[in-house]
Amino acid sequence: MTPGVTVHVVPDAPALADAAAEWLAQRIARTPALTVLVATGQTPMGMYAQLAERVRAGTLDCSGVTAVQLDEYAGLPEGDPRSLRAWMLRSFVTPLGVQTVVPLLDPAAFTGRLAALGGLDVAVLGLGPNGHVGFNEPPSGPDAPTREVALTPESLRSNAAYWSGLTVPTRAVTAGMDVILGARETLLLVSGAHKCAILSEALDGPETPLVPASFLRRTALTVLADRDARP
Ligand code: F6R
C-alpha cells in the first residue's frame, strides 16, 4: 500500500459512522478551528448524525469549525431543495452548531476565500460510483481547478435517487482536485457492494484521470470502508 494511506475495514455502515465520527471528533478536539471540506451524499450521513449526537451530549464543540462546501448543482433557484448547500446545512452545519461556512458558488471567490483561510485541514469525501470525488468527474487530473462541470450520465442516474420526482440538474460546480489534494488530511468513506470495484480501482489500480479518486493516494489518506465495499 502507498505510504500515507491507511485503510480500515469495519463490519457495516453503522460501524463506519462510528469510526468516522471518532476520526473527525479527535481532530476537532485537537484543533477547534478546523477547516473541513464537507461531502454530502448518503455515505457520511451516519457520521454526521453521530457527531451531532456528541454535540447534543456536550462532549464535542464544533462552534470553531469552518465548513467548506465541496460541490453544488449549477443554476438552481435560491432555496431549491436539491441544493447541496441546503443539504450540507441541514446534515452538518446546523446540527453540529458550526458557525462559519464557505459556500461554493463562484469558483474565483471560493478559491480566494480558501487561500485566505490557509487551505483545508481536512477533506471528508464519499466515492462516486464512477470514481468521482466531489463532482470531479472522469476524466479529472490532479490539477483540475474549481470549476463548472457537466455531470456524467452515471452521476445523473445515481443523483436521481436523492430527488424522487424532481429533475436532476445536469451541471454542477465542484471544488477542484487541486483543492481536495491540498487538504492536510483526507477521510474517504465507502460503503456498499456497489462501490467495491471502484474502490479497488482507486486504491489498487494505476493513478489515472479516469478514476479521479486514485489521486487521493498522494495525500495523507484514511479510507474507512465497510466489508461490503472492501471484502
Ligand atoms: C457529494 C459528493 C459526491 C458523493 C459521491 C458518493 O457532495 O461530492 O462526490 O460523495 O457521489 O455519493 P453517496 O455517498 O451518496 O454514494
Side-chain angles (χ1 to χ4, degrees):
M1 186 56 63
T2 319
V5 180
T6 311
V7 181
H8 295 293
V9 180
V10 297
D12 51 23
L16 190 79
D18 284 347
E22 179 61 25
W23 187 95
L24 191 61
Q26 280 180 10
R27 281 151 183 83
I28 293 170
R30 265 203 310 268
T31 310
L34 204 72
T35 301
V36 185
L37 188 68
V38 179
T40 54
Q42 283 308 327
T43 315
M45 292 304 122
M47 167 195 184
Y48 299 164
Q50 290 283 342
L51 289 167
E53 194 52 55
R54 292 180 188 219
V55 170
R56 273 195 297 277
T59 55
L60 178 68
D61 178 3
C62 295
S63 59
V65 166
T66 295
V68 180
Q69 189 176 358
L70 170 60
D71 42 17
E72 184 56 282
Y73 295 118
L76 289 185
E78 180 85 29
D80 191 292
R82 288 165 291 183
S83 132
L84 296 183
R85 174 141 181 250
W87 192 350
M88 177 183 73
L89 293 177
R90 54 176 190 266
S91 64
F92 187 89
V93 172
T94 304
L96 272 63
V98 169
Q99 305 292 317
T100 310
V101 175
V102 177
L104 175 52
L105 295 166
D106 169 52
F110 176 81
T111 310
R113 180 115 187 251
L114 258 191
L117 281 168
L120 294 168
D121 291 313
V122 165
V124 175
L125 301 172
L127 176 64
N130 59 358
H132 73 211
V133 285
F135 278 136
N136 290 282
E137 299 281 44
S140 289
D143 300 325
T146 299
R147 67 208 184 282
E148 186 170 325
V149 297
L151 297 176
T152 60
E154 191 165 17
S155 292
L156 294 176
R157 263 196 309 280
S158 62
N159 293 347
Y162 307 142
W163 317 116
S164 51
L166 295 171
T167 37
V168 183
T170 57
R171 299 190 68 79
V173 181
T174 184
M177 291 300 294
D178 58 350
V179 167
I180 292 171
L181 299 178
R184 286 180 266 282
E185 278 190 285
T186 302
L187 179 66
L188 178 67
L189 300 178
V190 193
S191 175
H194 63 301
K195 299 281 180 75
C196 179
I198 192 66
L199 178 59
S200 157
E201 282 187 58
L203 294 182
D204 312 319
E207 283 190 4
T208 166
L210 299 177
V211 183
S214 64
F215 295 111
L216 296 175
R217 290 178 301 186
R218 296 181 175 187
T219 68
L221 174 66
T222 300
V223 181
L224 278 174
D226 63 18
R227 211 168 285 294
D228 286 341
R230 190 76 168 167

